Amino acid sequence: MTLHRVRLAATAALLVSAPAGAQSGAPSGTQPVVLTLGGAARWAAEKNAGPAAARERVAQADARVRQQRASFMPTLTASALDHENNLNSATFPFSFNDPTTGVALFDPNGEVLGPVKNWDMRGNLRQDVVDLSAFAKLRAAHAGVTASEAQAAAAAQQAAGAAAVAYVRAVRADAQITARLADSTLAAELLGIARDQLAAGVGVVLDVTRAQAQLSLTHSQLIAARAERDRARIDLTRTLNLPVGTAIVLADSLGALPSETGAPAEDAAVAQAERSRADLRAAAEQAAAAERQLDAVRAERYPALSLFADQGVNGKNVDHLLNTYNWGIALSVPVFDGFRREGRIDEQRAALRELDVRRRDLSEQAAADV
């Protein structure tokens, strides 16, 4: 090999022999992350922002269940009051008269009494006994948790699928780099041979020109392949929710990745997608949760029965406080709320129709994907 051919081969090698850290944009000293295809999918399902946010929505739904459970527990409050006021005797609903003379004790036109100082300390207990609306709201909250969990599973599945696609794209980009490097080396070799033949008098200038053009083409293809590799690495890093610049080592190659030799029948594949796709399950659970919400709004029309008790002491000063209490059973019957409840029912029905439209669209999309 002549010195000129050696230089051409070295130039082609320099186009692709950048360090691993430079290829991935990794800062120096960063520990690389070694991933297989399955590991990338599992990593994205756990670390991607979409599934992480969906898991927080599940936690929010769990918190709403605890809030609804509070309706079945007693409410206990304590209060202490020190106040002073005066009264207008004309506001009394009855008159105070002297029992012997019949003369009014207070001016009929009213007079100011007081000021009167009063201490009041008491505890208040209330417990709902029968509240069908609270039961319906608790069931709706539980359905919301199930729907949120289904959405989290769908988000994890989508993130895993996106990570798998990004991983294969990154592996393919690396394979393209290797192929373009081989093309560049071969083109450099052919250019050297053409020049040697021209120098020996057995070649023509056109062959040298053609070899130079081929070498330039392979160089441009190599540059484009390197750009595609960098884009694929950045996309994979973002899909895995890793800091930009993290070095990633792809442990699988295209040849090592499993491939299916056969495909199921179309009807069987569509049926399998209907059963196993997490987004379809999430849509069904959302519809069930909306049904529960509608039942909860309707249940607000029913009467509610509750117990209440109030126990405490009051008086003019703390040295002489007398015991007082108030207890009973309360039955509340919703009569009219300005059609607010009917408006909420209509709103919930519209939400149900929207979810049904979305569910049908997802079903059609699943069939189209298959």
Side-chain angles (χ1 to χ4, degrees):
M1 183 182 293
T2 64
L3 178 61
H4 184 72
R5 291 169 63 185
V6 172
R7 289 174 178 172
L8 289 174
T11 301
L14 285 175
L15 289 172
V16 293
S17 60
Q23 291 178 2
S24 62
S28 60
T30 301
Q31 186 69 21
V33 178
V34 181
L35 287 175
T36 62
L37 176 61
R42 289 188 293 271
W43 185 294
E46 178 67 23
K47 303 293 186 181
N48 186 271
R55 287 191 293 272
E56 293 302 325
R57 288 193 291 272
V58 173
Q60 295 173 28
D62 283 328
R64 285 192 288 270
V65 170
R66 292 195 298 273
Q67 295 172 30
Q68 292 303 326
R69 283 178 181 158
S71 301
F72 302 94
M73 298 181 182
T75 301
L76 179 63
T77 59
S79 62
L81 178 65
D82 174 20
H83 69 99
E84 183 177 285
N85 65 306
N86 54 21
L87 303 172
N88 181 0
S89 63
T91 62
F92 294 158
F94 45 85
S95 59
F96 293 92
N97 298 326
D98 189 305
T100 58
T101 63
V103 179
L105 298 179
F106 302 113
D107 185 350
N109 295 322
E111 58 182 279
V112 176
L113 305 177
V116 178
K117 185 177 179 62
N118 186 43
W119 286 86
D120 192 301
M121 293 175 286
R122 63 187 58 250
N124 182 278
L125 178 68
R126 186 178 183 88
Q127 172 67 63
D128 292 332
V129 179
V130 179
D131 190 346
L132 299 180
S133 174
F135 282 102
K137 289 177 181 178
L138 181 60
R139 289 195 298 268
H142 280 296
V145 172
T146 304
S148 297
E149 289 173 345
Q151 287 178 305
Q157 190 178 82
Q158 292 171 357
V165 171
Y167 188 97
V168 173
R169 181 185 167 200
V171 173
R172 177 177 177 270
D174 287 347
Q176 285 181 324
I177 289 287
T178 302
R180 297 293 83 80
L181 173 60
D183 291 343
S184 297
T185 303
L186 178 59
E189 290 284 346
L190 293 176
L191 178 58
I193 292 173
R195 283 176 171 168
D196 289 346
Q197 290 176 342
L198 180 62
V202 294
V204 295
V205 176
L206 181 60
D207 291 339
V208 175
T209 303
R210 185 183 297 112
Q212 287 175 334
Q214 184 62 32
L215 180 61
S216 298
L217 176 61
T218 56
H219 282 180
S220 63
Q221 292 174 341
L222 182 58
I223 293 171
R226 291 182 63 185
E228 176 61 25
R229 176 201 57 198
D230 292 341
R231 284 194 295 268
R233 292 291 180 125
I234 292 173
D235 291 343
L236 179 59
T237 300
R238 290 294 301 122
T239 303
L240 299 176
N241 201 26
L242 291 170
V244 176
T246 301
I248 300 176
V249 178
L250 306 180
D252 286 331
S253 63
L254 290 177
L257 295 178
S259 61
E260 295 292 340
T261 57
E266 179 180 341
D267 293 341
V270 171
Q272 176 66 22
E274 290 279 354
R275 291 191 303 269
S276 61
R277 279 184 57 141
D279 54 351
L280 290 176
R281 293 198 303 272
E285 294 296 342
Q286 283 181 304
E291 285 278 6
R292 292 294 189 185
Q293 290 286 354
L294 180 58
D295 292 340
V297 177
R298 288 170 174 162
E300 293 178 4
R301 296 169 171 168
Y302 302 130
L305 184 66
S306 61
L307 302 175
F308 63 91
D310 186 297
Q311 180 78 32
V313 293
N314 62 8
K316 292 183 178 181
N317 54 69
V318 293
D319 296 330
H320 187 68
L321 298 178
L322 299 180
N323 181 58
T324 60
Y325 68 90
N326 182 29
W327 62 267
I329 301 175
L331 177 67
S332 61
V333 181
V335 178
F336 181 70
D337 66 349
F339 301 107
R340 183 180 295 107
R341 189 179 301 108
E342 281 66 24
R344 292 166 58 201
I345 290 175
D346 290 340
E347 178 186 5
Q348 230 20 70
R349 285 173 176 166
L352 269 172
R353 292 193 295 270
E354 177 190 358
L355 289 171
D356 187 59
V357 170
R358 183 186 175 199
R359 184 190 58 78
R360 292 198 302 269
D361 181 66
L362 284 174
S363 181
E364 293 295 332
Q365 183 61 49
D369 291 343
V370 171

